[in-house]
Amino acid sequence: MKFSCQGERPCARVLAKAMCGIIGYVGRHRAKDILMDGLKRLEYRGYDSAGIALLEGSELRIVRAVGQLEALIRKAAPLELAGTVGIGHTRWATHGGVVEENAHPHRSSDGKIALVHNGVIENFATIREFLLSRGYCFASETDSEVLANLIAYHYGRGGGSGEKNHFGESVRRALLHVQGTYGIAVLCEDRPGELVGARNSSPLILGIGDGEHFLASDAAGFAARTRDVVFLRDGELVWASGEEFLLTNLCQERVEAQRQELDWDLTAGERGGYPHFMVKEILEQPQALENAMRGRFSADGSTAHFGGLAMTPQELRQVERIVLCACGTAHCACLVGEYLIEGLARIPVEVEYASEFRYRNAPMDRHTLVLVVSQSGETLDTLEAMREARRKGFRVLAITNGVGSSIAREADGGIYQHAGPEIGVASTKAFTSQLCLLALFALYLGRLRDLSFDEGVSIVEVLRAVPGQVREILLQGEAIRRIAERHGRCRDMLFLGRQVLFPIALEGALKLKEVSYVHAEGYAAAEMKHGPIALVTPECPSFFLACDGATLPKTISNMHEIHARGGPIIAVLSQGSAVPREIVDDPIWIPRAHGVALPILAAIPIQLFAYHMGVLRGGDVDKPRNLAKSVTVE
Ligand code: F6R
């Protein structure tokens, strides 16, 4: 799908935050199996607790369990649940602790309505007060239960009338009073063949099957059963039975559904024979990099080109400043992008955390281009930063792996990563694919300016060689595992690199923290002596990214400084490096490379190291504690 521009919908309400995975089904098959299968594919979105609700004739049955999905599967296994309509949820807690009462689905206190919700209802306290005064009561601390009751309230006011879409209308009326974000799927005990969903800033996708419909916060939830989808937009509501669906907005106007065919390789989202998604995705990087580059080099081999930028070369030449905006690992990718774009295209670049940028009111002149980077395309801070920039009239491009995601749909143009689904919560292949695309983008901008034909050709050659070089580095997995074994008991680590490898040091520290829970800090190597060196002891290893480049002699001095204080050194070195071997306890060799390729190559050892540290220390590397893959809350 091409990136497309989408204007504000007249009826769309104020949009802010939401997280979790939701799924809904209405059709002829056993909903329990379909929901459980969907939840397995959505579990990366949250794994504090999970639950399902099914309509068994006109009886609404709910099963919920704290912990990963396995707990719910075990609990539901002995239950006879034959219903063909249902909803399911896998939770990442926002309001209320991780206890069964707070797990979804939530049921209204009159028992009529069951709801799963991804998002945050900001005015839930006011609505709760109102409902308490009307005799409703609450079993949980969640904002979502308030919404279930509000829908029940509106349903009750209609007296359960026989009007065809009375259920959908009750949901619509309730949502008119809601401030906040939601992707919801709702069941009503009186309407056994119906399912209602709605979206505001939290993704929701309708799947259209043969005599059946699905709802999910990510099409992965049902893609095994249908590829025919409609991406709901903010302020839209869908009512579905097995045979038909109706799409409207909150103003009760009918909306023309834009059906799309998903083009997905489903096996890409399976773990296959690998012990974890994380290692599978690390090993998939050569292919992901090839996909990122495929069809994106010019015929003369001197530059890159992109199908979906929606900006002419003339317009791009007018750009005098670029703001790169993202969160987490994608932010580290942007920091590399800054070096590359400034180096190759000589355009000043600033890198912003999306969460800061959107509230900062940074002065930007009219020749500024904003480029957001997001694997999921759903990270709320990034989405809102992008909306803020567009509101101010800036052109916003996006690099994302999320085909059809909110960011892809709202950006003025952009570049798809085509890295395939990334299920492991810690980003790996999406990161290097972002680095690769930022390098291509920098090359393209450079060639529109002063970068010569010959320089362009040599950079293209460098980039084309990267997937093969990554394959070579991946062969060292076992050696890196042994290094992790030697340092597996440490409590703190430093990651140090300079210039284009400084952001890789930041990413190394982030990756290690996430999957192994070892405290780690990333620094520009020379900064180490301005404070962090105080941490250095024989128990605190330093992981240097000390590849060849103009600053290598300075980095070697920093290594000496740490070695002299008894700090163990792990170092990523270029083959044939001049770094004295006696100061490196654990070397990891990567091919010599140009600065555009180096960050990608150097990222591979830090990912493998973090992965093995995580496994050795017994954590769940695919689902580290407290994290979720797609952060759709502020
Ligand atoms: C870390 C990680 C996160 C994400 C961040 C942004 O391994 O995955 O830091 O990079 O949450 O996510 P996206 O790229 O989906 O916007």
Side-chain angles (χ1 to χ4, degrees), residues 327-330 374-377 379 382 425-427 434 510-511 514 631:
C327 304
T329 287
S374 171
Q375 186 284 129
S376 60
T379 299
T382 311
V425 164
S427 186
Q434 286 161 358
L510 177 61
K511 213 85 304 168
E514 272 184 299
V631 183

Side-chain angles (χ1 to χ4, degrees), residues 599-610:
I600 303 176
L601 304 185
I604 311 298
I606 59 128
Q607 296 171 346
L608 284 167
F609 180 75

Side-chain angles (χ1 to χ4, degrees), residues 194-261:
E194 298 177 27
L195 176 67
V196 173
R199 162 189 166 132
N200 187 27
S201 273
S202 298
L204 191 69
I205 301 146
L206 171 74
I208 304 163
D210 181 12
E212 56 188 1
H213 287 105
F214 306 82
L215 287 174
S217 41
D218 175 339
F222 57 68
R225 305 188 71 95
T226 181
R227 309 289 176 92
D228 186 2
V229 300
V230 177
F231 289 91
L232 268 71
R233 289 176 291 187
D234 286 337
E236 286 181 355
L237 185 135
V238 63
W239 169 93
S241 65
E243 298 305 326
E244 51 180 342
F245 72 89
L246 176 70
L247 193 63
T248 60
N249 61 24
L250 291 183
C251 303
Q252 232 180 343
E253 296 156 347
R254 201 178 174 134
V255 174
E256 191 64 42
Q258 285 169 18
R259 287 170 78 155
Q260 298 179 23
E261 194 66 24

Side-chain angles (χ1 to χ4, degrees), residues 13-14 120-128 130-131 134 143 146-147 149-151 153-155 157 169-182 200 237 250:
R13 296 161 57 78
V14 185
V120 177
I121 308 297
E122 288 166 1
N123 59 339
F124 85 105
T126 321
I127 300 175
R128 197 169 195 270
F130 168 78
L131 290 168
R134 294 291 190 285
D143 52 340
V146 169
L147 183 52
N149 277 303
L150 189 62
I151 295 170
Y153 167 76
H154 284 283
Y155 186 75
R157 285 187 78 188
E169 179 55 11
S170 312
V171 177
R172 185 190 76 83
R173 286 195 186 168
L175 293 177
L176 289 174
H177 299 278
V178 164
Q179 284 162 17
T181 58
Y182 50 81
N200 187 27
L237 185 135
L250 291 183

